Amino acid sequence: MLGIFSWRRLHGKDDHRVSITAASIRGEVRNRVWDYLQLAAISTVMIWAGLSLFFGGVYRRSVLANNINVYIVDLDGGAVGTNVTRMVLDTAVTPSTPVWLQNHDLNSVDAVKAWVQHSGWGALVVNPGASARLESALAGADHYNASASMTLIESTGRQVVAEMLYVSSALTTTAQAVARQYAQIQVTNFQATDDPAQQQPNYAALIHPVGFVTVDVAPAGFTMSPVMSTFGYLAILLSIIGVLIMWKMTSFPFFARVRFCDLALMWPVLLLGLALVLSFYQALAFLAFRGPNFNSQALTYTTATFFKFWFTGTAVAFSLGLWLFNWFLHLTPQLMALPSICTVIPNVLSTVSTFELAPKFYRIMYAMPFYNGSSLILYILTGAHPTIGRNVGVLVAEIVAMTALLTLSIWIRQICVLRGISDAHGWFHGSRYYHSHIPYYKDVRADAEHQAESLPPRRAGVEIVDYDDDGVSLTTGNLGV
């Protein structure tokens, strides 16, 4: 079989061909060089567009962390609560750390947990009775658990990367600093006292007066979660792009011969079917691999969870497919990668970062299908930060808007095809690559006008031909009556 590639079989085939430096094709080579330089310029724009979109969103992330608020909640009301609150609020504010605020409206640890899970980033809680337990230990009580003094409450299910990089570290670092500072003050005060009753304290409480435990009310920090939805949707999107390009390149006969209303219905239905199939595979993949890397604290994975995954992925894929197909129908081949890059990069960025850690321009991430789909997935898995109405509303609105826009795009594309304005590949009339068997409408009009001008002039009036042989004459008025 490999013999068909043998040079012996090509003997003499090059005899009628010329060198690439031959004068006879110099004009064609010049055109190709110019086209390749244009492609290089377009590629330069595309790569810088992609790099700028991504690095612009993460470049100042570490100096925008103070856009995130974390809270101190004093449920103790005693000396420990007052001192810890003061130390926390006196923490130096830097651009790379969240801002500490105090919340006076919550009155129990469970209430703080529910609030953080629903809308907060994190909180440091001074537990009820912390002052009384410490005073008892300093008076000589044998048992003292310093970790019962404070509770750090976080919710990694809100946004995994931001929680792990900034919120969790801020809570832990501040709590450790408070514990050290409180111990130093307490030891200093003990050394300065002359009260004999204070000379036999619980030394563990003296040296380590306050500690903490960490509670993640919506755990999502397991191995797959930061990238699960991101790469699932990315795989779907990249798979769709190839299909959309193929549809664009092979749809010319449809636009030339099929009714507009049929086309306007066919493409959205095909896209919806493709989105259903690909998102079904994504849901199956997560179902298959969730076992060894799935945190036991996450919400129970049920049959309903599978369908929620499936249809969320379908909405994301359908909206993006509609969006890209609108672009592909009208762009020439050398520009088709540009909307793909400008779609993929912001969508990926919206799931690995959050708009609080990006410049204001990146609040467009609220509209990204990846962002809304990932937010829904994290809520399905963890119950954190429920924004279901907004996420579903944005996806549905995008699907409706993109479907309406695609209907208009199909109408415009069909007009361009039927009038010979663009060809099967998307090249427009006037391009050296343009080739369509449908004549350009202006050429047709010009040909018609030329033919009309070449016809002999028509004589005015009516010519009467009268035959005298039958005795009837229109000229004399003899009608034979």
Side-chain angles (χ1 to χ4, degrees), residues 77-250:
V80 173
T82 301
N83 291 330
V84 170
T85 300
R86 177 180 53 79
M87 294 176 187
V88 169
L89 295 179
D90 287 345
T91 302
V93 178
T94 64
S96 60
T97 58
V99 175
W100 283 97
L101 302 174
Q102 186 173 7
N103 189 309
H104 301 279
D105 301 326
L106 304 171
N107 52 20
S108 69
V109 176
D110 289 339
V112 179
K113 290 180 180 179
W115 175 77
V116 170
Q117 184 178 24
H118 185 272
S119 57
W121 283 99
L124 188 156
V125 180
V126 184
N127 294 327
S131 296
R133 289 190 295 271
L134 180 58
E135 290 174 3
S136 176
L138 293 177
D142 293 334
H143 178 72
Y144 180 70
N145 181 12
S147 298
S149 303
M150 297 183 294
T151 302
L152 309 184
I153 302 176
E154 59 186 23
S155 175
T156 52
R158 174 165 180 169
Q159 212 288 332
V160 181
V161 176
E163 284 280 353
M164 292 192 297
L165 287 180
Y166 299 102
V167 177
S168 181
S169 61
L171 290 172
T172 304
T173 302
T174 301
Q176 291 172 342
V178 166
R180 289 193 299 267
Q181 187 177 354
Y182 206 105
Q184 292 172 354
I185 293 174
Q186 190 160 266
V187 169
T188 301
N189 292 339
F190 175 77
Q191 292 174 340
T193 186
D194 296 327
D195 188 353
Q198 296 291 332
Q199 297 304 314
Q200 297 296 326
N202 183 322
Y203 287 102
L206 179 65
I207 299 173
H208 186 44
V210 294
F212 61 90
V213 294
T214 301
V215 176
D216 191 346
V217 294
F222 42 92
T223 306
M224 292 175 60
S225 64
V227 297
M228 179 193 63
S229 59
T230 303
F231 284 95
Y233 294 148
L234 182 59
I236 291 176
L237 179 57
L238 295 179
S239 301
I240 286 178
I241 287 176
V243 176
L244 296 180
I245 293 175
M246 186 65 180
W247 285 353
K248 158 66 180 288
M249 298 298 182
T250 59

Side-chain angles (χ1 to χ4, degrees), residues 344-385:
V344 170
I345 299 299
N347 273 279
V348 170
L349 179 63
S350 70
T351 62
V352 299
S353 187
T354 180
F355 76 90
E356 286 93 345
L357 302 176
K360 291 182 179 180
F361 168 78
Y362 287 90
R363 291 183 182 178
I364 61 171
M365 290 192 294
Y366 273 134
M368 297 293 108
F370 274 31
Y371 169 79
N372 291 282
S374 296
S375 297
L376 288 171
I377 294 301
L378 285 173
Y379 173 72
I380 292 169
L381 288 177
T382 68
H385 197 55

